[in-house]
C-alpha cells in the first residue's frame, strides 16, 4: 500500500486498460465516468473507492477517472488484496472469491466490448481451474479447522517442556512450553504440522488460550514441587501468536485465566515475535504494557530474523530477547553473525534486557555464549523438549559445564 499525489486535472485511469490496483481517496475529489453505474459521471471523495476492477485479475477498468482537485490517493494493489485474502478466514475468502468472480463475469457480459467478452471467454478454462483449486483448498482448510476444533475438545493437545538453563550457574531456570498434538491416527505431531494452518484458520486463538491456561496450571505444579524439594523456582515461557493480539479482550482473558488458575504471574513469560510489534504497533504496545503491568514477563522471540529493529527494544517493554537459532548455527563460522550476536549481547547488557540463546547443539556454541556473558541457553545439547513427567527429573538439577 502506498500513496500518490495527483494534481487537479490529471487522469488517473482510463476505461478499457487492464488494471492492477484500486484507489482509496484520502483527500481531494475525483470524477469518475463509467459504463457500469447508471450515472454517467459522479464524484468520489475521502474514504471512497474507485478503480475496484483493478484488483480483479485480468479485469479491465470500466471507468475513466480524473482528479477534479489536488488529491491524495492510497493505492491498493492486486497482490496486496490477494495476500490479505489468503490470510483471511477461509469462509470469508470463499465468499470474497465468489463475489469477485460473479461481479467480473456479470460486468463483462453486460458492459464489456466484443473484444473484452471474447478475451474473457477464452480465459474461462484457466479461471475455472483456478476456482476449482481454491475451492478444494478452502474445503481442505474447513476440514482441518474442524479437526483442530475437535482435537481441542477431546484434549488431544499436550505441552512438552524444553529446559532453559542459566549460562552463569548452570541450573535449570525455566522451560519453554511447546505444543504437541497426540493425533488419534497419526501419532505425536510437532507444531510444524499444524501451527501454520491453525494461524490461517484463526484456531490459534482458542488453541493459544488453552496453551496459556495449561502452562499456568503446570507452573503451579512445578512451584509446589520446587517448594517441597528446596529446588530453585522456574519460569514457563509460552509462545503467543500475533493473531491472539488481534483479539480485543485478549489481555482480560489472560488476566482472568491467571486468576482462576492461581498462578504466580511473574513465573509466566510471554514469547512474542516481531510481527506482533509491527502489525498494529500502538495497540500492541498498549496490550503489552497492560500484560507487563499485571506482572507477566515479555520475551522477544526469534530475534535477528525478520526486520529486527533494535528500536523495538526501546519502544516496547521487553524483558528478554531470544537470539534466533540461525545465529547459533552460523556464528562459529561466520564473522558477521558473530559480530551481530556480540553487538546484541553488549546492547542488552546496557539496556537491562536478558538474552536467551536458542538452538545450542554443541559445547563450542555454549562456551561462546558464556564468553559473551549471555544469561540463558536452550537447545538440544542441554535437552530436547520433554513430556511433563520428565520435567520433575530436571527440576533442581545443574549442568556441569565442561564435563559433557
Ligand atoms: P520456536 O518458538 O522458535 O520454538 C523453538 C523450536 O526449536 C522448538 O520446535 C524446539 O523443539 C526447537 N529446538 C529447540 N532446541 C533446538 C536445537 O538445539 N536445535 C534445533 N534444530 N531445534 C531446536 P517445535 O517444538 O517444533 O516448535 C516449532 C515452532 O512452533 C516454535 O518455534 C513456535 O513458533 C511454534 N509453537 C510451538 N508451540 C507453540 C504454541 O503453543 N503456540 C504458538 N503460537 N506457537 C507454538
Ligand atoms: Ca518460542
Ligand atoms: Ca524461537
Amino acid at each position: 500500500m502506498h500513496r500518490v499525489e495527483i494534481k487537479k486535472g490529471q487522469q488517473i485511469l482510463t476505461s478499457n486498460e487492464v488494471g492492477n490496483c484500486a484507489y482509496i481517496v484520502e483527500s481531494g475529489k475525483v470524477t469518475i465516468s463509467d459504463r457500469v453505474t447508471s450515472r454517467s459521471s459522479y464524484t468520489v471523495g475521502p474514504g471512497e473507492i474507485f478503480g475496484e476492477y483493478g484488483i480483479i485479475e485480468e479485469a479491465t477498468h470500466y471507468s475513466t477517472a480524473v482528479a477534479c482537485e489536488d488529491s491524495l490517493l492510497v493505492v491498493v494493489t492486486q497482490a496486496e488484496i490477494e495476500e490479505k485474502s489468503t490470510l483471511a478466514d477461509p469462509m470469508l475468502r470463499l465468499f470474497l472469491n465468489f463475489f469477485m468472480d460473479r461481479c467480473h463475469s456479470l460486468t463483462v457480459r453486460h458492459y464489456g466490448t466484443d473484444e473484452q467478452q471474447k478475451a474473457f471467454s477464452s480465459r474461462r478454462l484457466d479461471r475455472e481451474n483456478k476456482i476449482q483449486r481454491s475451492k478444494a483448498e478452502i474445503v481442505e482448510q474447513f476440514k482441518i479447522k474442524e479437526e483442530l476444533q475437535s482435537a481441542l475438545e477431546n484434549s488431544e493437545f499436550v505441552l512438552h517442556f524444553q529446559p532453559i538453563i542459566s549460562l552463569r550457574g548452570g541450573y535449570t531456570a525455566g522451560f519453554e512450553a511447546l505444543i504437541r498434538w497426540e493425533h488419534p491416527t497419526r501419532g505425536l505431531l510437532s507444531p510444524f504440522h499444524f501451527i501454520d494452518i491453525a494461524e490461517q484458520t484463526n484456531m490459534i486463538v482458542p488453541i493459544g488460550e488453552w496453551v496459556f491456561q495449561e502452562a499456568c496450571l503446570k507452573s503451579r505444579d512445578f512451584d509446589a514441587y520446587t517448594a517441597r524439594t528446596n529446588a530453585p523456582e522456574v519460569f514457563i515461557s509460552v509462545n503467543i501468536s500475533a493473531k491472539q493480539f488481534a483479539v480485543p479482550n485478549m489481555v482480560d482473558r489472560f488476566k482472568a485465566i491467571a486468576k482462576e488458575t492461581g498462578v504466580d504471574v511473574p513465573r509466566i513469560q510471554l514469547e512474542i515475535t516481531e510481527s506482533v510489534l509491527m502489525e498494529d504497533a500502538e495497540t500492541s504496545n498498549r496490550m503489552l504494557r497492560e500484560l507487563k503491568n499485571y506482572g507477566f514477563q515479555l520475551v522477544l522471540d526469534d530475534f535477528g530474523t525478520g526486520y529486527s529493529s533494535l528500536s523495538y527494544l526501546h519502544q516496547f517493554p521487553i524483558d528478554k530477547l531470544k537470539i534466533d537459532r540461525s545465529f547459533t548455527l552460523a556464528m562459529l563460522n561466520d564473522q558477521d553473525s558473530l559480530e551481530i550476536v556480540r553487538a546484541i549481547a553488549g546492547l542488552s547488557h546496557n539496556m537491562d534486557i536478558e538474552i536467551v540463546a536458542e538452538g545450542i547443539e554443541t559445547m563450542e556454541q555454549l562456551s561462546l555464549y558464556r564468553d559473551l556473558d549471555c544469561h540463558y541457553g536452550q537447545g538440544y545439547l542441554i535437552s530436547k523438549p520433554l513430556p511433563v513427567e520428565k520435567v520433575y527429573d530436571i527440576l533442581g538439577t545443574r549442568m556441569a559445564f565442561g564435563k559433557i
Side-chain angles (χ1 to χ4, degrees):
M1 218 162 69
H2 63 280
R3 285 188 175 81
V4 283
E5 276 180 46
I6 304 287
K7 290 273 167 235
K8 180 178 175 179
Q10 200 177 326
Q11 181 152 339
I12 304 151
L13 54 88
T14 314
S15 174
N16 288 342
E17 71 185 358
V18 177
N20 63 1
C21 60
Y23 300 87
I24 305 169
V25 181
E26 189 170 312
S27 62
K29 277 191 181 136
V30 175
T31 301
I32 313 291
S33 318
D34 81 358
R35 317 203 289 274
V36 179
T37 55
S38 49
R39 296 171 287 176
S40 59
S41 92
Y42 58 98
T43 303
V44 290
E48 290 185 280
I49 295 173
F50 66 94
E52 61 279 8
Y53 281 88
I55 59 158
I56 302 179
E57 201 182 334
E58 293 182 341
T60 51
H61 287 301
Y62 291 87
S63 49
T64 300
V66 179
C68 51
E69 32 181 86
D70 288 354
S71 304
L72 191 60
L73 306 178
V74 176
V75 182
V76 185
T77 64
Q78 226 172 66
E80 282 161 351
I81 295 289
E82 205 156 300
E83 192 194 323
K84 284 196 195 301
S85 125
T86 0
L87 294 175
D89 184 272
M91 177 103 74
L92 201 62
R93 182 146 59 99
L94 187 64
F95 276 95
L96 187 67
N97 288 346
F98 174 80
F99 284 123
M100 292 227 290
D101 192 60
R102 187 47 79 86
C103 191
H104 190 188
S105 72
L106 280 176
T107 315
V108 172
R109 222 174 298 148
H110 289 285
Y111 304 97
T113 58
D114 285 352
E115 227 167 81
Q116 283 169 334
Q117 294 196 14
K118 254 191 237 149
F120 187 74
S121 315
S122 72
R123 289 192 304 267
R124 208 192 79 224
L125 214 60
D126 275 359
R127 225 174 20 252
E128 278 175 2
N129 281 339
K130 198 173 158 196
I131 289 171
Q132 211 49 48
R133 267 202 313 279
S134 110
K135 274 189 204 152
E137 213 178 278
I138 284 168
V139 168
E140 180 65 18
Q141 279 205 3
F142 278 141
K143 234 174 69 194
I144 297 178
K145 184 170 181 173
E146 230 169 52
E147 255 194 282
L148 289 170
Q149 179 88 49
S150 85
L152 199 54
E153 283 160 11
N154 299 333
S155 309
E156 288 167 14
F157 293 116
V158 286
L159 292 185
H160 280 197
F161 296 88
Q162 186 173 33
I164 297 173
I165 61 163
S166 156
L167 289 178
R168 294 172 177 174
Y171 59 88
T172 305
F175 297 87
E176 178 171 3
L178 294 157
I179 192 168
R180 304 287 181 261
W181 182 358
E182 288 177 335
H183 195 282
T185 53
R186 293 166 67 195
L188 192 69
L189 297 182
S190 91
F192 173 74
H193 294 280
F194 60 90
I195 283 288
D196 281 354
I197 198 103
E199 297 249 353
Q200 283 160 28
T201 55
N202 253 335
M203 275 304 291
I204 196 66
V205 173
I207 293 175
E209 197 169 294
W210 175 84
V211 169
F212 175 76
Q213 183 185 34
E214 183 68 7
C216 290
L217 291 170
K218 292 295 181 275
S219 174
R220 286 205 50 184
D221 295 348
F222 297 169
D223 267 1
Y225 183 88
T226 51
R228 212 167 50 238
T229 56
N230 275 329
E233 294 149 350
V234 286
F235 60 75
I236 297 186
S237 222
V238 183
N239 292 286
I240 311 291
S241 150
K243 288 259 165 128
Q244 292 176 260
F245 278 85
V247 179
N249 67 347
M250 177 244 191
V251 174
D252 291 336
R253 301 276 311 158
F254 273 35
K255 285 184 188 172
I257 293 171
K259 219 171 188 173
E260 275 162 30
T261 55
V263 69
D264 190 7
V265 176
R267 293 266 208 283
I268 300 292
Q269 300 187 353
L270 307 177
E271 290 197 10
I272 55 160
T273 54
E274 285 154 2
S275 56
V276 172
L277 312 183
M278 285 163 52
E279 245 153 58
D280 181 354
E282 213 174 291
T283 312
S284 306
N285 207 349
R286 186 178 42 74
M287 290 169 96
L288 290 172
R289 281 183 198 281
E290 274 180 58
L291 290 164
K292 166 105 179 163
N293 288 342
Y294 194 68
F296 294 111
Q297 297 266 302
L298 301 178
V299 183
L300 190 53
D301 199 2
D302 301 341
F303 194 77
T305 59
Y307 292 85
S308 291
S309 165
L310 287 171
S311 69
Y312 289 145
L313 306 179
H314 276 296
Q315 276 175 51
F316 298 96
I318 303 293
D319 299 289
K320 291 193 172 102
L321 70 84
K322 280 191 146 182
I323 299 186
D324 190 66
R325 191 160 67 235
S326 54
F327 285 100
T328 309
L329 208 63
M331 66 182 184
L332 281 166
N333 304 313
D334 173 42
Q335 194 61 29
D336 286 350
S337 301
L338 178 60
E339 287 314 320
I340 293 172
V341 172
R342 201 191 297 279
I344 297 172
L347 193 84
S348 67
H349 286 136
N350 292 333
M351 294 180 70
D352 236 6
I353 289 175
E354 294 186 316
I355 297 260
V356 186
E358 273 196 297
I360 300 179
E361 294 184 359
T362 69
M363 204 57 214
E364 289 75 22
Q365 292 165 343
L366 184 127
S367 302
L368 187 49
Y369 278 127
R370 291 194 74 209
D371 292 345
L372 293 172
D373 203 20
C374 292
H375 305 77
Y376 300 100
Q378 175 183 1
Y380 292 168
L381 175 75
I382 300 150
S383 168
K384 288 206 166 182
L386 304 167
V388 68
E389 51 297 353
K390 292 261 165 56
V391 165
Y392 294 97
D393 301 337
I394 299 280
L395 289 173
T397 59
R398 182 183 289 267
M399 182 171 181
F401 299 120
K403 286 192 192 153
I404 302 150

